[in-house]
Every structure is written in structure tokens, then in C-alpha cells.
């Protein structure tokens, strides 16, 4: 039972940090642009944390420090990714509630700034639905290949954000944070091949 309490605590803490955007679903007078921005940013934040685990583990191994932290992060990575998906779902729910009509949603679907968001969401949903242990066992090696789609999902989310946000500096900042673990992975691959 203790692992269950530990898992629930992780979800409670990670979701509490973005509680305003979650609570905004129950508030009709909530400010729509702020809710869309915050729910999208929280989703990207946790996605970046989730993809940072592997390069961080390699860095920990290289430095020979902090193995306990690395193992803990590895065990919690799935939950961090699912919290990212929860905020992506929240982002979508705010949008659907604001649009209110199916024809308006379908009209937006064909515009690039929204199509990139829908594609990113579809990938994130597929990853979330296959993140459980039974999916890992059932899919075998295909599971790892599927979960590499987290990178295109993140890129599409950032592109969606770039196309809709007037302040490109914010998108550039988060794009750099998204690129950092990718760069670290590339560096570690180069080091391994050079050895």
C-alpha cells in the first residue's frame, strides 16, 4: 500500500502546483486566455521534466553522484508524463468550453495553429494511454519506439504555442528548455560512440 500513497502524493503535489488552471474548469467567470496559457505551460513544463530524466541519469552516472535521486526520478517519470497529459487535457477542455460549438471547433481544426495542437494532443493521449505496465508488457520493444513520439509531441506543442502567442520570447525560452535534454542525449551518444 505504501507505493500507492507515494504515487498519490506525487500526483497531489504536481497537480497542486497548477491548481488554478484545474480549478478554472469549475469557474464560469475565469479568464480564458490566462487559463489557456497556464494549462499549456504546465503541460510543457512537466513534459520537459519527463524527457529530462534519461539525460539526467546519464549525467549522474558520469559524475558518480546522486544515484538514489536518479533511481527515484526513473520510477516517477511515468507519473510526471501523465501529469503533463492531465494539463494537456485541461488545456483542451478550456478550449472546448470556450468555443462551445462543434462547428467552431471543426472550423479551427483546419488552421495550422490549431492543427499542430490537435496533433500534439493526439500523440500525448496515445502516450498516456500506453504508459501503464500492462502496455509495456503487451507491446514489448514497440513500446519504446512509440514513446519516442514524445519528442514530436513536444515540438508540435511548441509550434502550436508559437503560432498563437504574440510574445515569442516565452515560446523561445521553453523551446530552449525542451532542446536542452535533447542536446544532452546527443552529446552522450557521441561520447559513447567515441569511447
Amino acid at each position: 500500500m505504501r507505493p500507492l500513497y507515494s504515487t498519490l502524493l506525487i500526483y497531489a503535489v504536481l497537480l497542486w502546483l497548477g491548481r488554478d488552471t484545474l480549478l478554472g474548469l469549475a469557474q464560469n467567470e475565469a479568464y480564458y486566455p490566462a487559463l489557456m496559457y497556464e494549462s499549456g505551460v504546465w503541460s510543457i513544463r512537466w513534459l520537459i521534466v519527463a524527457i529530462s530524466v534519461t539525460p539526467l541519469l546519464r549525467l549522474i552516472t558520469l559524475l558518480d553522484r546522486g544515484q538514489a535521486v536518479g533511481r527515484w526520478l526513473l520510477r516517477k517519470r511515468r507519473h510526471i508524463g501523465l501529469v503533463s497529459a492531465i494539463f494537456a487535457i485541461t488545456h483542451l477542455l478550456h478550449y472546448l468550453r470556450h468555443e462551445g460549438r462543434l462547428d467552431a471547433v471543426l472550423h479551427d481544426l483546419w488552421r495550422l495553429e490549431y492543427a499542430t495542437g490537435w496533433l500534439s494532443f493526439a500523440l500525448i493521449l496515445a502516450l498516456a494511454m500506453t504508459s501503464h505496465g500492462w502496455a509495456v508488457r503487451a507491446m514489448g520493444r514497440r513500446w519504446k519506439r512509440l514513446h519516442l513520439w514524445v519528442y514530436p509531441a513536444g515540438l508540435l506543442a511548441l509550434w502550436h504555442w508559437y503560432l498563437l502567442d504574440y510574445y515569442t520570447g516565452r515560446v523561445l525560452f521553453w523551446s530552449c528548455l525542451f532542446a536542452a535534454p535533447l542536446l544532452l542525449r546527443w552529446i552522450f551518444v557521441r561520447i559513447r560512440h567515441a569511447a
Side-chain angles (χ1 to χ4, degrees), residues 61-150:
T61 303
L62 194 66
L63 298 174
D64 198 26
R65 295 273 189 275
Q67 280 80 3
V69 172
R71 285 191 299 272
W72 183 86
L73 276 172
L74 189 60
R75 285 194 308 270
K76 303 305 177 195
R77 176 172 52 185
R78 176 188 345 175
H79 306 304
I80 296 167
L82 285 172
V83 169
S84 173
I86 289 168
F87 280 109
I89 291 166
T90 304
H91 187 73
L92 177 65
L93 291 174
H94 283 304
Y95 165 71
L96 293 174
R97 187 176 76 171
H98 181 262
E99 289 301 314
R101 297 185 344 263
L102 181 61
D103 62 325
V105 172
L106 292 174
H107 178 265
D108 283 350
L109 185 62
W110 304 110
R111 295 170 54 190
L112 183 62
E113 59 268 33
Y114 293 99
T116 50
W118 280 105
L119 284 172
S120 175
F121 179 76
L123 290 173
I124 288 170
L125 192 60
L127 297 174
M129 290 172 59
T130 58
S131 68
H132 200 274
W134 62 264
V136 177
R137 290 186 295 276
M139 295 180 71
R141 300 179 114 180
R142 289 173 300 159
W143 183 88
K144 192 164 190 171
R145 284 199 300 270
L146 172 67
H147 278 255
L148 288 174
W149 281 92
V150 69

